[in-house]
Amino acid sequence: MSTPGEYYRSLPPVSKTYGVACLMTTSAYYLGLYKFWTIALQYELVLKRFQVWRLITNFFFLGPFSFPFAFRLIIIAKYGVSLERGPFDKRTADYVWMFIFGALSLLVMAAIPPLYSPFMGPSLVFMIVYVWGREFPNARINIYGVVSLKGFYLPWALLALDLIFGDRLMPDILGMVAGHLYYFLTVLHPLAGGRNLLKTPLWVHKVVAYWGEGTQVNAPVQSDPTAGIAFRGRSHRLGGMATQASSPSQAQTRDQVPVQPPNPAADGVAFRGRSYRLGGH
């Protein structure tokens, strides 16, 4: 069995970052480092007092420590990781774009008064469940050891459980709407012969490349070679040519050392030199 540290290091970067950020946000709230209304989504304060951080921080609060909070973290650790290792494998920028698009969609929906919620994190987590159900429609899911169903019906089963437990249904429904909108624009519409209307923007690729975590197949930008590394590059001699810093044992170039006479045995030749004719010079 792997240790908790090994399990943590094995997690893919996007799901790990979001899950840890949500856990730290709730932990900081219980430590009294902030009041929950200072990070809640309030458009009036965003527009009048320019408290733009509320547009982001509200997605990291999944509620106080409770069973629903733990269940949402499990969703990130199980279904979010499954998406990142499965359909989004080697597509880190696309996975980040899915989160960004989901957050933007939820912010637009939250601007409608009947759909407003001060914290849209639960809806973003439920979007993960919906996309996972569409990507793994035939996977077998066992809920509490009682009900077994296909992955396609998982979002609806969780919606029914919230109804039974008396939890609010609106966050789940908004997450399903955002998830279906993303899946339709990126998968269903292109499969029907349409154009991909939700291609990952270049700036997202640049952010992921600068972040230095994860990989992106056929990325339009190169990963930052110095991300997380103290030194990497080439060494240069003034007036000379560059050599690889990571390969000190490589042969030096001709302009860095004087030219040496050829070594007869260096290239495997038995004899090298001038030829003489017998009786001649």
Side-chain angles (χ1 to χ4, degrees):
M1 291 181 62
S2 61
T3 64
E6 292 173 345
Y7 171 75
Y8 173 79
R9 288 188 292 270
S10 68
L11 294 175
V14 180
S15 300
K16 176 171 62 177
T17 301
Y18 183 60
V20 171
C22 294
L23 179 61
M24 294 179 61
T25 300
T26 301
S27 300
Y29 168 71
Y30 274 90
L31 292 175
L33 300 181
Y34 70 93
K35 301 297 183 180
F36 73 91
W37 61 79
T38 61
I39 65 171
L41 177 62
Q42 297 185 28
Y43 284 109
E44 183 179 358
L45 296 178
V46 172
L47 297 176
K48 293 183 178 181
R49 299 188 181 182
F50 302 101
Q51 297 181 1
V52 294
W53 67 81
R54 297 176 179 272
L55 300 176
I56 301 175
T57 55
N58 76 93
F59 289 102
F60 295 101
F61 188 77
L62 301 181
F65 287 132
S66 59
F67 176 78
F69 171 82
F71 189 71
R72 288 162 186 148
L73 282 185
I74 293 174
I75 288 176
I76 298 173
K78 184 175 182 179
Y79 301 110
V81 170
S82 179
L83 277 176
E84 195 168 356
R85 288 176 174 170
F88 290 93
D89 184 33
K90 295 181 176 61
R91 295 173 55 204
T92 304
D94 294 341
Y95 196 53
V96 172
W97 175 238
M98 186 196 79
F99 273 82
I100 296 175
F101 174 79
L104 293 176
S105 302
L106 292 171
L107 289 175
V108 172
M109 287 185 278
I112 304 174
L115 306 180
Y116 169 78
S117 177
F119 298 102
M120 305 299 290
S123 299
L124 188 62
V125 172
F126 209 86
M127 174 186 173
I128 296 174
V129 175
Y130 183 87
V131 175
W132 184 92
R134 298 305 300 262
E135 293 287 356
F136 299 93
N138 297 318
R140 300 303 301 183
I141 302 297
N142 193 290
I143 300 179
Y144 299 127
V146 177
V147 180
S148 180
L149 60 140
K150 291 185 177 181
F152 181 82
Y153 302 104
L154 178 62
W156 304 99
L158 296 182
L159 189 66
L161 288 177
D162 287 343
L163 178 63
I164 295 173
F165 294 149
D167 295 332
R168 295 179 62 233
L169 300 182
M170 187 57 66
D172 298 350
I173 296 175
L174 294 180
M176 294 176 67
V177 172
H180 183 76
L181 185 60
Y182 172 83
Y183 192 78
F184 174 80
L185 294 176
T186 58
V187 179
L188 297 181
H189 185 64
L191 287 178
R195 189 167 54 92
N196 187 355
L197 302 176
L198 207 62
K199 187 177 180 180
T200 304
L202 179 62
W203 66 268
V204 177
H205 286 283
K206 291 182 178 181
V207 169
V208 172
Y210 181 80
W211 184 23
E213 295 288 342
T215 56
Q216 179 73 25
V217 178
N218 298 327
V221 295
Q222 297 296 326
S223 298
D224 184 6
T226 61
I229 300 178
F231 174 79
R232 182 193 293 173
R234 296 174 180 265
S235 61
H236 293 268
R237 185 178 64 85
L238 294 178
M241 297 177 64
T243 59
Q244 293 289 343
S246 58
S247 302
S249 61
Q250 292 181 345
Q252 293 177 315
T253 53
R254 290 185 176 180
D255 66 330
Q256 292 175 307
V257 295
V259 177
Q260 299 293 335
N263 186 357
D267 54 1
V269 180
F271 176 80
R272 179 186 293 170
R274 294 185 177 182
S275 62
Y276 293 90
R277 185 169 59 83
L278 292 178
H281 296 287

